Amino acid sequence: MDEQTAGPSYRHQSINAQSPTPARRPRRRWLLWGTIVLVILLILFAVLRTHGSHSEKSRKNRAAGDTQPVAVATVHTGDMPVILQLIGTVVPVTNVTITPRVDGHILDVYYQEGQHVKKGDELELIDPRPYEAILAQYKGTLAADRAQLEKARVDNARYQKLIRQNSTSAMTARDQEFTVQQLEGTVKFDEANVHNAELNVMYCHIIAPVDGRVGIRVLDKGNYVSAGQSGGLTILTQMEPISVIFTVPQNQIGPVADRLREVQELPVEAWNSDNTQKIATGTVKALDSQIDTSTGTVRMRGIFANEDERLFPNEFVNARLLVNTLHNVLIVPGNALQTGPDGQFLYVVQPDMTVKDLPVKVGETDDSNAVILSGVKAGDRVVTDGVSHLRPGQKISIPDTSAPTTQNAAAEAKTAETHHRHSNGQQSTDAAKRGNDPSAADVTGNH
């Protein structure tokens, strides 16, 4: 009875003890959702604030950008050189491959590699003794045949005298005439053999055909060479003067040819492959006789004295050909030219410090300047830098380039004054130290 009676009350107390747990769970859930919402609101606030600050900065930047700082230059009149920049190659005026003309062993070499030689200097000697022996043989044969010819001529004169006296037959006298002619031919053949043998002896002495610089030696003393041997013995290159071969586009041939007919020669400069340093100055006197159909260009040869030998054979150079000089033309910096849908134009500064785009007609140009044929006049100021954000009618400002110089000068003066004060203060301190130091007075007095 007690357990049955106590059972319901115990279960009621257990239920009452467990009932608070479901009540706390909704509160925790609401707290979690509230925290999430608060974090989201804080994030949105931060994003909107950042965007607002960026928008404000953009508005400030646009407000500050209404006036565009630019650099300007003045249109002026002057002389404009018309220069063609072309690619060229240094080519010797004379380039000789020294090859043997007879067979034999090299007895001696008389030059050093890289040596400068004069026309007529002996370079190498091929053994001449076999050819000297052949020459002596031909000379002996020639002497014998000449003696027979003289004897035949004497006999012929005797027969001609006898035929006039009817003391011999006409056939015998005629045969003697043919004998003389035959021996005359033999003597001429012997003379040719002697001359050929003399040439072979001469060819044993290899002589420089021109002034120039000898290259690397191919064969040394003691080697056997053959006539016409491939590769030769060495290469002799004429260094002074030297030429530069360059090509001119076919659309420029007309002005170049016309100018050549007027002045007979045009100045040309040779610059290094980087186009940063001038090497030499020369002249051009003629065009090639035909256009290269594969490239559409015509060759020209510039002659350079090359006394310092700075131009080296087969070197690639940049040739600058001065075709003409235009006088009293309008000139602007090349970076002032702009290109639009309607062609090239300039931003011209107006009196109210705004810019106006004026179309122009452009003539000759080079790396830095351009000739203006129409559109502006001398004295106009054109924008050369800061054009990327310009538009017609925009307000501009021209920075004072002298201001940094003045500020720098003031800063330098201030630095010098500070240094001077520091030096005076240091001297005063040193003087005070010497005044307090008894030994300082003695030192001063000794001096």
Side-chain angles (χ1 to χ4, degrees), residues 404-420:
T405 304
T406 306
Q407 294 175 0
N408 292 338
E412 291 177 0
K414 185 175 181 181
T415 303
E417 182 179 359
T418 304
H419 177 71
H420 180 67

Side-chain angles (χ1 to χ4, degrees), residues 32-326:
L32 178 60
W33 280 106
T35 302
I36 293 173
V37 171
L38 181 60
V39 171
I40 292 173
L41 291 176
L42 290 174
I43 292 174
L44 291 175
F45 176 75
V47 170
L48 293 175
R49 183 178 181 182
T50 304
H51 180 71
S53 62
H54 285 176
S55 300
E56 184 178 358
K57 289 181 181 179
S58 299
R59 287 193 298 272
K60 290 181 179 179
N61 291 336
R62 286 195 298 269
D66 289 341
T67 301
Q68 178 70 28
V70 296
V72 299
T74 303
V75 181
H76 64 282
T77 59
D79 296 340
M80 177 72 173
V82 180
I83 298 176
L84 297 181
Q85 297 197 20
L86 311 164
I87 298 176
T89 305
V90 180
V91 178
V93 177
T94 304
N95 196 45
V96 181
T97 300
I98 305 297
T99 56
R101 304 181 69 175
V102 294
D103 302 340
H105 288 87
I106 300 176
L107 287 186
D108 210 344
V109 177
Y110 302 110
Y111 65 89
Q112 301 292 330
E113 295 177 337
Q115 176 184 344
H116 288 268
V117 298
K118 298 293 184 180
K119 180 180 180 180
D121 291 348
E122 187 170 0
L123 303 178
E124 297 187 19
L125 175 64
I126 297 175
D127 189 0
R129 291 171 295 183
Y131 302 99
E132 290 174 348
I134 295 175
L135 174 61
Q137 178 182 351
Y138 286 148
K139 284 183 177 180
T141 303
L142 174 62
D145 291 340
R146 279 177 176 174
Q148 291 182 5
L149 175 61
E150 290 300 322
K151 180 180 180 298
R153 285 174 177 172
V154 172
D155 292 340
N156 183 49
R158 186 182 301 114
Y159 282 121
Q160 295 302 322
K161 184 177 179 179
L162 292 175
I163 194 64
R164 287 193 297 270
Q165 298 176 355
N166 293 324
S167 300
T168 186
S169 64
M171 182 180 296
T172 303
R174 189 63 177 168
D175 289 343
Q176 189 62 33
E177 290 179 2
F178 289 140
T179 301
V180 170
Q181 294 176 0
Q182 181 180 1
L183 290 174
E184 285 177 348
T186 302
V187 168
K188 287 184 179 180
F189 178 76
D190 293 339
E191 289 175 347
N193 286 335
V194 169
H195 183 63
N196 185 56
E198 289 175 343
L199 284 177
N200 288 335
V201 173
M202 184 182 68
Y203 291 153
C204 291
H205 302 267
I206 299 177
I207 305 300
V210 295
D211 296 348
R213 182 174 179 269
V214 183
I216 301 299
R217 185 171 59 250
V218 178
L219 293 175
D220 297 324
K221 176 180 177 180
N223 286 279
Y224 186 86
V225 295
S226 301
Q229 179 172 322
S230 62
L233 302 176
T234 187
I235 296 178
L236 179 61
T237 302
Q238 183 178 349
M239 300 294 293
E240 303 176 26
I242 204 167
S243 69
V244 172
I245 300 294
F246 55 91
T247 55
V248 178
Q250 60 182 5
N251 58 352
Q252 297 288 342
I253 295 177
V256 172
D258 294 341
R259 187 62 177 168
L260 270 176
R261 283 190 290 267
E262 292 177 7
V263 298
Q264 304 305 319
E265 64 180 28
L266 297 176
V268 61
E269 296 177 349
W271 289 62
N272 61 0
S273 58
D274 296 333
N275 211 15
T276 57
Q277 183 180 8
K278 185 174 73 171
I279 302 176
T281 302
T283 57
V284 175
K285 295 185 178 179
L287 286 164
D288 200 356
S289 58
Q290 58 185 352
I291 295 175
D292 186 351
T293 56
S294 61
T295 60
T297 59
V298 63
R299 296 189 306 167
M300 298 188 74
R301 184 193 294 270
I303 303 298
F304 297 81
N306 201 33
E307 295 175 352
D308 54 359
E309 295 189 5
R310 295 186 62 190
L311 291 174
F312 208 78
N314 295 333
E315 177 184 5
F316 290 99
V317 296
N318 290 285
R320 297 187 180 185
L321 179 64
L322 178 60
V323 179
N324 200 355
T325 300
L326 305 178

